[in-house]
Amino acid sequence: MSTSVDQIFAKLDSTQVALMEEICILINENDQVIGSETKKNTHLLENINKGMLHRAFSAFLFNSEGKLLLQQRATEKITFPDHWTNTCCSHPLHFAEELDERDAIGVKRAAQRKLDQELGIEPGQIPLDAFHYITRIHYLAPNVPYDGVFGEHEIDYILFIQRDVTFKANPNEAKDARYVNEEELRSLLTRLPCRSAVCRPRRRRRRRP
């Protein structure tokens, strides 16, 4: 790692820096596993610009009224801090349970794990068979605000789940969380166009089966 990146990490939240040592799943453009690497290295633009690609997921949790649970990422987050996004965006890790590709079960296990960590939604509230795998998208974006250091390059599994749950946001992960209907979501995006993850620039999305 370059000295400049070392200096940046020294100023960041220690909990989030520790999480950057998690081991992500490296893949090729066909979503075939080719190796593993730290979350830190998979999110460095210098590696992304060389083609490094990893597996990820985006979970969308709806309640019985059809409202979507959103979260606002914590200020402490290293990538896209303070941005509003869907319920949970993260990564399956490189160990057997989350590498399992049958019916996207590994990714679903990762989503269950992270919904608990980020929003305090216990696994019993969101059983694995309640998650529905919709599609995959190929996603590329630099960090916002732009820092020239971090970014995203991933094949992102889109997961939907409809359950009535109780949640309590982990403040180191999410500074706010709320349910919104379609009208409220549109209003939020209009009022906060630069603080929503859907406004990330230079994104590339290609739908996959």
Side-chain angles (χ1 to χ4, degrees), residues 125-140:
Q125 297 189 82
I126 46 172
L128 294 175
D129 61 8
F131 286 92
H132 299 279
Y133 165 59
I134 306 301
T135 189
R136 294 170 291 176
I137 57 175
H138 189 165
Y139 181 81
L140 172 67

PDB file of all heavy atoms in Angstrom, residues 125-140:
ATOM      1  N   GLN A 125     -35.714 -13.256  12.247  1.00  0.00           N
ATOM      2  CA  GLN A 125     -36.736 -12.432  11.612  1.00  0.00           C
ATOM      3  C   GLN A 125     -36.678 -12.515  10.091  1.00  0.00           C
ATOM      4  O   GLN A 125     -37.650 -12.163   9.417  1.00  0.00           O
ATOM      5  CB  GLN A 125     -36.572 -10.967  12.031  1.00  0.00           C
ATOM      6  CG  GLN A 125     -36.754 -10.689  13.505  1.00  0.00           C
ATOM      7  CD  GLN A 125     -36.783  -9.192  13.758  1.00  0.00           C
ATOM      8  OE1 GLN A 125     -37.810  -8.529  13.600  1.00  0.00           O
ATOM      9  NE2 GLN A 125     -35.644  -8.646  14.151  1.00  0.00           N
ATOM     10  N   ILE A 126     -35.533 -12.952   9.567  1.00  0.00           N
ATOM     11  CA  ILE A 126     -35.324 -12.940   8.116  1.00  0.00           C
ATOM     12  C   ILE A 126     -34.711 -14.278   7.685  1.00  0.00           C
ATOM     13  O   ILE A 126     -33.538 -14.349   7.317  1.00  0.00           O
ATOM     14  CB  ILE A 126     -34.424 -11.758   7.684  1.00  0.00           C
ATOM     15  CG1 ILE A 126     -33.197 -11.641   8.607  1.00  0.00           C
ATOM     16  CG2 ILE A 126     -35.217 -10.462   7.662  1.00  0.00           C
ATOM     17  CD1 ILE A 126     -32.174 -10.621   8.136  1.00  0.00           C
ATOM     18  N   PRO A 127     -35.498 -15.360   7.724  1.00  0.00           N
ATOM     19  CA  PRO A 127     -34.972 -16.673   7.347  1.00  0.00           C
ATOM     20  C   PRO A 127     -34.479 -16.683   5.897  1.00  0.00           C
ATOM     21  O   PRO A 127     -34.954 -15.923   5.050  1.00  0.00           O
ATOM     22  CB  PRO A 127     -36.171 -17.603   7.534  1.00  0.00           C
ATOM     23  CG  PRO A 127     -37.371 -16.706   7.474  1.00  0.00           C
ATOM     24  CD  PRO A 127     -36.941 -15.393   8.040  1.00  0.00           C
ATOM     25  N   LEU A 128     -33.511 -17.529   5.642  1.00  0.00           N
ATOM     26  CA  LEU A 128     -32.896 -17.564   4.314  1.00  0.00           C
ATOM     27  C   LEU A 128     -33.898 -17.819   3.203  1.00  0.00           C
ATOM     28  O   LEU A 128     -33.777 -17.264   2.102  1.00  0.00           O
ATOM     29  CB  LEU A 128     -31.797 -18.630   4.278  1.00  0.00           C
ATOM     30  CG  LEU A 128     -30.576 -18.355   5.167  1.00  0.00           C
ATOM     31  CD1 LEU A 128     -29.621 -19.540   5.122  1.00  0.00           C
ATOM     32  CD2 LEU A 128     -29.864 -17.074   4.746  1.00  0.00           C
ATOM     33  N   ASP A 129     -34.919 -18.637   3.486  1.00  0.00           N
ATOM     34  CA  ASP A 129     -35.878 -18.946   2.423  1.00  0.00           C
ATOM     35  C   ASP A 129     -36.831 -17.798   2.124  1.00  0.00           C
ATOM     36  O   ASP A 129     -37.636 -17.877   1.191  1.00  0.00           O
ATOM     37  CB  ASP A 129     -36.652 -20.227   2.733  1.00  0.00           C
ATOM     38  CG  ASP A 129     -37.459 -20.149   4.020  1.00  0.00           C
ATOM     39  OD1 ASP A 129     -37.556 -19.058   4.622  1.00  0.00           O
ATOM     40  OD2 ASP A 129     -38.006 -21.195   4.436  1.00  0.00           O
ATOM     41  N   ALA A 130     -36.731 -16.699   2.894  1.00  0.00           N
ATOM     42  CA  ALA A 130     -37.558 -15.523   2.625  1.00  0.00           C
ATOM     43  C   ALA A 130     -36.885 -14.564   1.632  1.00  0.00           C
ATOM     44  O   ALA A 130     -37.532 -13.655   1.104  1.00  0.00           O
ATOM     45  CB  ALA A 130     -37.882 -14.790   3.919  1.00  0.00           C
ATOM     46  N   PHE A 131     -35.587 -14.760   1.385  1.00  0.00           N
ATOM     47  CA  PHE A 131     -34.870 -13.908   0.430  1.00  0.00           C
ATOM     48  C   PHE A 131     -35.133 -14.404  -0.990  1.00  0.00           C
ATOM     49  O   PHE A 131     -35.096 -15.603  -1.263  1.00  0.00           O
ATOM     50  CB  PHE A 131     -33.363 -13.950   0.693  1.00  0.00           C
ATOM     51  CG  PHE A 131     -32.911 -13.188   1.893  1.00  0.00           C
ATOM     52  CD1 PHE A 131     -32.803 -13.820   3.123  1.00  0.00           C
ATOM     53  CD2 PHE A 131     -32.592 -11.845   1.811  1.00  0.00           C
ATOM     54  CE1 PHE A 131     -32.365 -13.130   4.246  1.00  0.00           C
ATOM     55  CE2 PHE A 131     -32.160 -11.140   2.924  1.00  0.00           C
ATOM     56  CZ  PHE A 131     -32.053 -11.785   4.148  1.00  0.00           C
ATOM     57  N   HIS A 132     -35.369 -13.462  -1.892  1.00  0.00           N
ATOM     58  CA  HIS A 132     -35.595 -13.793  -3.295  1.00  0.00           C
ATOM     59  C   HIS A 132     -34.492 -13.161  -4.148  1.00  0.00           C
ATOM     60  O   HIS A 132     -34.325 -11.939  -4.154  1.00  0.00           O
ATOM     61  CB  HIS A 132     -36.964 -13.284  -3.761  1.00  0.00           C
ATOM     62  CG  HIS A 132     -38.105 -13.887  -3.001  1.00  0.00           C
ATOM     63  ND1 HIS A 132     -38.614 -15.134  -3.285  1.00  0.00           N
ATOM     64  CD2 HIS A 132     -38.813 -13.413  -1.945  1.00  0.00           C
ATOM     65  CE1 HIS A 132     -39.597 -15.412  -2.446  1.00  0.00           C
ATOM     66  NE2 HIS A 132     -39.744 -14.383  -1.623  1.00  0.00           N
ATOM     67  N   TYR A 133     -33.739 -14.013  -4.822  1.00  0.00           N
ATOM     68  CA  TYR A 133     -32.714 -13.536  -5.739  1.00  0.00           C
ATOM     69  C   TYR A 133     -33.390 -13.067  -7.022  1.00  0.00           C
ATOM     70  O   TYR A 133     -34.094 -13.837  -7.669  1.00  0.00           O
ATOM     71  CB  TYR A 133     -31.700 -14.645  -6.011  1.00  0.00           C
ATOM     72  CG  TYR A 133     -30.817 -14.392  -7.201  1.00  0.00           C
ATOM     73  CD1 TYR A 133     -29.997 -13.268  -7.265  1.00  0.00           C
ATOM     74  CD2 TYR A 133     -30.809 -15.276  -8.282  1.00  0.00           C
ATOM     75  CE1 TYR A 133     -29.187 -13.037  -8.358  1.00  0.00           C
ATOM     76  CE2 TYR A 133     -30.001 -15.059  -9.379  1.00  0.00           C
ATOM     77  CZ  TYR A 133     -29.192 -13.928  -9.416  1.00  0.00           C
ATOM     78  OH  TYR A 133     -28.396 -13.693 -10.511  1.00  0.00           O
ATOM     79  N   ILE A 134     -33.141 -11.804  -7.406  1.00  0.00           N
ATOM     80  CA  ILE A 134     -33.813 -11.207  -8.570  1.00  0.00           C
ATOM     81  C   ILE A 134     -32.922 -11.240  -9.809  1.00  0.00           C
ATOM     82  O   ILE A 134     -33.316 -11.738 -10.864  1.00  0.00           O
ATOM     83  CB  ILE A 134     -34.237  -9.759  -8.267  1.00  0.00           C
ATOM     84  CG1 ILE A 134     -35.093  -9.681  -6.990  1.00  0.00           C
ATOM     85  CG2 ILE A 134     -34.978  -9.166  -9.466  1.00  0.00           C
ATOM     86  CD1 ILE A 134     -36.365 -10.494  -7.040  1.00  0.00           C
ATOM     87  N   THR A 135     -31.720 -10.697  -9.697  1.00  0.00           N
ATOM     88  CA  THR A 135     -30.798 -10.619 -10.828  1.00  0.00           C
ATOM     89  C   THR A 135     -29.431 -10.209 -10.308  1.00  0.00           C
ATOM     90  O   THR A 135     -29.223 -10.063  -9.098  1.00  0.00           O
ATOM     91  CB  THR A 135     -31.311  -9.617 -11.882  1.00  0.00           C
ATOM     92  OG1 THR A 135     -30.501  -9.703 -13.066  1.00  0.00           O
ATOM     93  CG2 THR A 135     -31.269  -8.184 -11.371  1.00  0.00           C
ATOM     94  N   ARG A 136     -28.479 -10.028 -11.225  1.00  0.00           N
ATOM     95  CA  ARG A 136     -27.167  -9.477 -10.902  1.00  0.00           C
ATOM     96  C   ARG A 136     -26.911  -8.256 -11.785  1.00  0.00           C
ATOM     97  O   ARG A 136     -27.365  -8.215 -12.928  1.00  0.00           O
ATOM     98  CB  ARG A 136     -26.057 -10.509 -11.142  1.00  0.00           C
ATOM     99  CG  ARG A 136     -26.091 -11.714 -10.246  1.00  0.00           C
ATOM    100  CD  ARG A 136     -25.116 -12.787 -10.711  1.00  0.00           C
ATOM    101  NE  ARG A 136     -25.553 -13.387 -11.965  1.00  0.00           N
ATOM    102  CZ  ARG A 136     -24.855 -14.296 -12.653  1.00  0.00           C
ATOM    103  NH1 ARG A 136     -23.674 -14.692 -12.209  1.00  0.00           N
ATOM    104  NH2 ARG A 136     -25.334 -14.807 -13.769  1.00  0.00           N
ATOM    105  N   ILE A 137     -26.168  -7.298 -11.251  1.00  0.00           N
ATOM    106  CA  ILE A 137     -25.764  -6.147 -12.052  1.00  0.00           C
ATOM    107  C   ILE A 137     -24.258  -5.938 -11.909  1.00  0.00           C
ATOM    108  O   ILE A 137     -23.676  -6.244 -10.870  1.00  0.00           O
ATOM    109  CB  ILE A 137     -26.512  -4.853 -11.658  1.00  0.00           C
ATOM    110  CG1 ILE A 137     -26.317  -4.525 -10.181  1.00  0.00           C
ATOM    111  CG2 ILE A 137     -27.987  -4.943 -12.010  1.00  0.00           C
ATOM    112  CD1 ILE A 137     -26.929  -3.207  -9.760  1.00  0.00           C
ATOM    113  N   HIS A 138     -23.644  -5.462 -12.981  1.00  0.00           N
ATOM    114  CA  HIS A 138     -22.217  -5.142 -12.989  1.00  0.00           C
ATOM    115  C   HIS A 138     -22.098  -3.652 -12.688  1.00  0.00           C
ATOM    116  O   HIS A 138     -22.620  -2.824 -13.422  1.00  0.00           O
ATOM    117  CB  HIS A 138     -21.639  -5.476 -14.365  1.00  0.00           C
ATOM    118  CG  HIS A 138     -20.153  -5.390 -14.436  1.00  0.00           C
ATOM    119  ND1 HIS A 138     -19.441  -5.935 -15.466  1.00  0.00           N
ATOM    120  CD2 HIS A 138     -19.226  -4.828 -13.607  1.00  0.00           C
ATOM    121  CE1 HIS A 138     -18.150  -5.717 -15.294  1.00  0.00           C
ATOM    122  NE2 HIS A 138     -17.995  -5.038 -14.172  1.00  0.00           N
ATOM    123  N   TYR A 139     -21.404  -3.320 -11.614  1.00  0.00           N
ATOM    124  CA  TYR A 139     -21.441  -1.962 -11.062  1.00  0.00           C
ATOM    125  C   TYR A 139     -20.026  -1.414 -10.915  1.00  0.00           C
ATOM    126  O   TYR A 139     -19.135  -2.095 -10.381  1.00  0.00           O
ATOM    127  CB  TYR A 139     -22.153  -2.003  -9.711  1.00  0.00           C
ATOM    128  CG  TYR A 139     -22.276  -0.672  -9.028  1.00  0.00           C
ATOM    129  CD1 TYR A 139     -23.271   0.229  -9.384  1.00  0.00           C
ATOM    130  CD2 TYR A 139     -21.398  -0.310  -8.017  1.00  0.00           C
ATOM    131  CE1 TYR A 139     -23.382   1.456  -8.767  1.00  0.00           C
ATOM    132  CE2 TYR A 139     -21.504   0.917  -7.387  1.00  0.00           C
ATOM    133  CZ  TYR A 139     -22.493   1.798  -7.765  1.00  0.00           C
ATOM    134  OH  TYR A 139     -22.581   3.016  -7.149  1.00  0.00           O
ATOM    135  N   LEU A 140     -19.818  -0.190 -11.377  1.00  0.00           N
ATOM    136  CA  LEU A 140     -18.519   0.479 -11.284  1.00  0.00           C
ATOM    137  C   LEU A 140     -18.732   1.941 -10.922  1.00  0.00           C
ATOM    138  O   LEU A 140     -19.520   2.629 -11.575  1.00  0.00           O
ATOM    139  CB  LEU A 140     -17.784   0.380 -12.629  1.00  0.00           C
ATOM    140  CG  LEU A 140     -16.497   1.179 -12.790  1.00  0.00           C
ATOM    141  CD1 LEU A 140     -15.411   0.639 -11.867  1.00  0.00           C
ATOM    142  CD2 LEU A 140     -16.025   1.126 -14.247  1.00  0.00           C
TER     143      LEU A 140
END
